[in-house]
Amino acid sequence: MDALVMTEPSHGTDRTEVREIRTPRPGPGEVTIDVGYAGINFLDVMARRGDAGYAAAWPYTPGLEVSGTVREIGPGVSSLTAGQRVAAFTGAGGLAEVVLVDAAYVVPVPDEVPARLAAAAPLMLTAALILLEDAAGLRPDRTVLVHSASGGMGNAFAQLVPVLGGGRLIGTVGRPEKAASALKSGYDVVIARDGDLVRAIREATDGAGVDIVLDPLGTAMLETDLAVTAPGGRVVLFGNAEGGQPGPLPPVGRLIGGNLSIGGFSIRGLWASAPGRASAGLLRALTLLADGRLNLAINEVESLADVPAVHQSLAEGRGEGKYVVRLRGERAGG
Ligand SMILES: NC(=O)c1ccc[n+]([C@@H]2O[C@H](COP(=O)([O-])OP(=O)(O)OC[C@H]3O[C@@H](n4cnc5c(N)ncnc54)[C@H](OP(=O)(O)O)[C@@H]3O)[C@@H](O)[C@H]2O)c1
C-alpha cells in the first residue's frame, strides 16, 4: 500500500515521500481501516521539523486522523464490524491507504456526515470541542480570544463557540492579510499581532477584557494573555507553534491575586490517557456535524503526493482553514 513517509527531520518537503510499504494487519484489540480521507495537521509539521515528542522514530509515517471503513478486525474486538463507516484518531500513520489503530480510538460515523468532514473530527474538531467545554469551561455569553484564528483550529473554534452558547469572539492573526479568512469563519473582531495588541483587545471589549484565551503559541503571548484576561478568566495553552523551549509560567501570587487561571490541553494526550473521554468527544463532534450546525472550512487535496506541499504551506503559516486528502471513495460534496 502507499503511505506518506518522512525519512528524516526537515524544515522543507525534501524528506517526505510517498512510499509503498507493507499493509498492516490488526493484532488483539486493533483494527485496520481503509482510509477514505485523512486530516492534515500542523502537528504533522511539528513532527516533520523534529520537535520533541511528535515523531516516535524515523522514518516516521505521519497522519493523526482519518475517516474510512473498517477493513479487518483483530481478536477481541466486538464493537466494530468490517465495512462499517468510521472515524479514528490514529496516533501516526493516517496519511496512508490503510491504517492500523487501537479499536478504542475508532467510532462509527453517522450516515449524514460526509467522509471528508469526518476526517477533520478525531483530532481537530474533537480537540476544539473538548478544549472549549472542559479545559476552558465555556459558558454562555463568555468573550473568547483565539490566537492564530485563521487556521484549522481557529476555524473550528469560530464554528463551535456560537453553538455552545458563547458570546463575543475575538481572533488574532500573525499577518494582516489573514484577517479576512478569520472574519469569514465567524470572528466578531480580528486583530493582527503587529501593533499594541493589549490596547486593541481592551478596545474591542470596551475595557472589560476577555473571559477565555485559547493560545497555541507556547508562552510567547502569555504576558499579553494575562494582561487582557478579566478577573475569573482562564488562559488555555494548547500548542507551541514556533517550537523551541517555552518560557516559565508566571508566579503563583500573580494568578491568585489576579483571579486568573492557566491550563493546558492536548488531544493526543487525552486519546492516550483517557480514550473514553476522547471518543465521547468525537461522537459528540460527529453528531454536531450530522445536525448540520457547523460550517467547517475544508480544503481537499486529491492524493498523498499533494500533501508535502500542504505541510509546507502550514509550516510557513500560509494555511487557511482545514486540509484533508482523499485516498479513496466519496468525492467533495459526497
Ligand atoms: N493541543 C491540542 O490538542 C492541539 C490539537 C490541534 C492543534 N493544536 C495546535 O493548534 C495550532 C493550530 O493547529 P492547526 O492544525 O489549526 O494549524 P494551522 O491551520 O496550520 O494553523 C497554525 C497557525 O499557527 C500560527 N503560527 C505561529 N507560529 C508559527 C510558525 N512558526 N510556523 C507556522 N505557523 C505558525 C500561524 O497563524 P498566525 O500566524 O495567524 O498566528 C498558523 O496559521 C498548532 O499550534 C497546533 O499545534 C493543538
Side-chain angles (χ1 to χ4, degrees):
M1 68 154 190
D2 281 348
L4 204 69
V5 177
M6 295 173 171
T7 55
E8 289 174 58
S10 173
H11 285 266
T13 58
D14 54 323
R15 299 283 188 269
T16 308
E17 58 195 44
V18 179
R19 265 193 198 172
E20 196 174 330
I21 63 172
R22 196 174 52 81
T23 305
R25 303 283 313 274
E30 296 174 335
V31 299
T32 49
I33 295 171
D34 283 322
V35 179
Y37 281 82
I40 305 170
N41 284 288
F42 191 75
L43 296 172
D44 305 334
V45 174
M46 297 176 83
R48 190 186 77 168
R49 69 189 185 193
D51 287 13
Y54 290 90
W58 300 90
Y60 172 68
T61 50
L64 296 167
E65 58 185 343
V66 301
S67 64
T69 53
V70 175
R71 176 187 176 94
E72 209 178 344
I73 295 176
V77 178
S78 56
S79 55
L80 298 162
T81 54
Q84 188 174 11
R85 284 183 90 227
V86 292
F89 171 75
T90 57
L95 288 160
E97 289 180 306
V98 179
V99 64
L100 176 70
V101 287
D102 187 319
Y105 295 177
V106 184
V107 309
V109 173
D111 291 344
E112 301 85 347
V113 182
R116 62 196 291 270
L117 280 184
L123 185 117
M124 185 197 75
L125 190 57
T126 302
L129 180 62
I130 301 179
L131 209 160
L132 281 169
E133 288 193 316
D134 294 355
L138 181 68
R139 281 182 276 150
D141 299 323
R142 293 297 194 250
T143 299
V144 181
L145 171 68
V146 176
H147 294 306
S148 303
S150 67
M153 288 290 281
N155 176 254
F157 291 133
Q159 292 296 308
L160 284 166
V161 165
V163 168
L164 300 177
R168 198 162 169 73
L169 198 46
I170 300 170
T172 79
V173 288
R175 291 194 289 265
E177 61 270 25
K178 297 167 87 173
S181 109
L183 284 167
K184 195 172 156 208
S185 71
Y187 286 85
D188 298 299
V189 178
V190 178
I191 305 163
R193 297 193 303 275
D194 59 358
D196 186 342
L197 195 54
V198 171
R199 187 170 158 187
I201 294 167
R202 289 217 164 273
E203 277 174 11
T205 56
D206 294 330
V210 303
D211 302 303
I212 290 170
V213 184
L214 307 180
D215 186 345
L217 300 173
T219 49
M221 300 303 298
L222 191 49
E223 272 303 317
T224 299
D225 296 345
L226 294 171
V228 299
T229 302
R234 184 178 300 195
V235 178
V236 183
L237 303 175
F238 69 99
N240 187 18
E242 295 279 353
Q245 192 64 33
L249 293 177
V252 172
R254 184 168 174 201
L255 302 179
I256 294 173
N259 285 287
L260 297 168
S261 303
I262 300 175
F265 179 80
S266 161
I267 191 64
R268 290 190 316 145
L270 200 66
W271 275 112
S273 62
R277 278 183 58 201
S279 64
L282 173 53
L283 273 173
R284 196 160 132 60
L286 290 167
T287 304
L288 290 172
L289 289 173
D291 291 346
R293 298 176 71 191
L294 305 177
N295 183 20
L296 292 182
I298 303 276
N299 306 293
E300 178 177 332
V301 297
E302 284 291 311
S303 80
L304 285 178
D306 298 325
V307 176
V310 177
H311 281 155
Q312 192 57 25
S313 167
L314 299 185
E316 292 169 8
R318 290 187 285 109
E320 290 191 352
K322 173 72 179 177
Y323 294 80
V324 299
V325 55
R326 186 168 67 86
L327 275 297
R328 59 166 71 74
E330 307 164 26
R331 280 183 180 276

